[in-house]
Amino acid sequence: MRNHDPFIDRLSQSAQPVRRVWPTPWRVTGWIAAALPCGALSSWAFHTRLTDWSQPDATIALIALLLSLIIAGSSLAAAFTLSIAGRKASGMGWLLLLAGVWLTLNLLNMSSSRPPAGAGRFGEGIHCYLFMLSASLPMMLLSVIALQRTRSLHPGKSLALAGCGSAFSASMLLSLCHDTHLHMIDFLMHLAAGITIVAITVLVGRRWVRLAQA
């Protein structure tokens, strides 16, 4: 029978104390506190104006902005919870419901008024697309770092939820410097940016978040 004592001694010397992770609400709060200022700075080059909330029917845009923040926080909470072994992300039904309400509000916002001059131009939509991508870059990095702390048995799902959090956070920042009314091309580019953010988060972050193979 082999003597395993030397091997056990090496493991004992290399072992590090386990640090307990913060509770999920604190992790979400810390992420938002760090990610939103970083996203605002990284997208500063694309700021052209501040939103005029005195415009008629701006209430719909304001409610959509608040929903974006709520959905972002809920997505991150689900991602962080799912990354802990033995836990399941709860409230996914409510998250889908909120996303449906957000989508409905934006569709109503497109039909609530006449589009502004130049609203149909493709370049305006590209500007919004680039804004959301630039705003989300530090958010995606912070998401991967946060999930890498615990790793995940479901890296794809955890990263997709974290990517949704980044996408909705970027959408919220865009709402602060965007016209209160939307048009079709503009909103389609918003959705395309969100899909791109989720895809990049999953593809780039998978190797850092998945559990190491034995």
Side-chain angles (χ1 to χ4, degrees):
M1 182 176 181
R2 293 182 180 180
N3 185 5
H4 298 290
D5 290 341
F7 178 66
I8 295 174
D9 290 339
R10 287 199 302 271
L11 286 179
S12 300
Q13 293 172 3
S14 62
Q16 297 179 353
V18 176
R19 293 181 300 171
R20 189 172 184 176
V21 296
W22 287 1
T24 297
W26 282 107
R27 295 178 73 188
V28 173
T29 302
W31 187 97
I32 292 176
L36 291 185
C38 290
L41 289 175
S42 64
S43 60
W44 188 257
F46 296 97
H47 281 261
T48 56
R49 62 182 182 274
L50 294 177
T51 302
D52 181 10
W53 295 107
S54 64
Q55 294 184 39
D57 299 328
T59 304
I60 296 179
L62 182 58
I63 296 175
L65 182 153
L66 295 175
L67 270 179
S68 294
L69 181 59
I70 295 172
I71 294 171
S74 301
S75 299
L76 289 164
F80 293 152
T81 300
L82 188 62
S83 68
I84 300 176
R87 295 190 184 180
K88 295 182 179 180
S90 59
M92 295 301 297
W94 284 105
L95 185 59
L96 291 174
L97 178 61
L98 290 175
V101 173
W102 176 87
L103 179 62
T104 302
L105 286 174
N106 282 282
L107 292 176
L108 289 174
N109 199 14
M110 280 195 295
S111 60
S112 62
S113 67
R114 183 178 302 174
R121 292 182 298 185
F122 185 68
E124 186 71 17
I126 288 293
H127 180 272
C128 295
Y129 181 89
L130 294 176
F131 178 99
M132 288 185 62
L133 285 186
S134 62
S136 67
L137 286 177
M139 300 177 184
M140 290 187 284
L141 177 61
L142 289 171
S143 296
V144 172
I145 291 174
L147 290 173
Q148 199 264 346
R149 172 73 179 80
T150 55
R151 302 300 178 108
S152 178
L153 291 171
H154 311 282
K157 293 181 181 179
S158 296
L159 287 166
L161 287 166
C164 286
S166 298
F168 277 99
S169 296
S171 175
M172 190 209 71
L173 290 177
L174 178 61
S175 299
L176 299 176
C177 55
H178 193 280
D179 193 84
T180 55
H181 300 292
L182 298 172
H183 56 88
M184 180 60 70
I185 295 178
D186 193 26
F187 185 56
L188 287 177
M189 294 307 293
H190 293 189
L191 295 178
I195 294 172
T196 303
I197 292 167
V198 173
I200 292 175
T201 305
V202 173
L203 293 176
V204 175
R206 182 180 290 271
R207 63 169 296 189
W208 304 104
V209 173
R210 67 184 177 188
L211 293 173
Q213 299 294 327

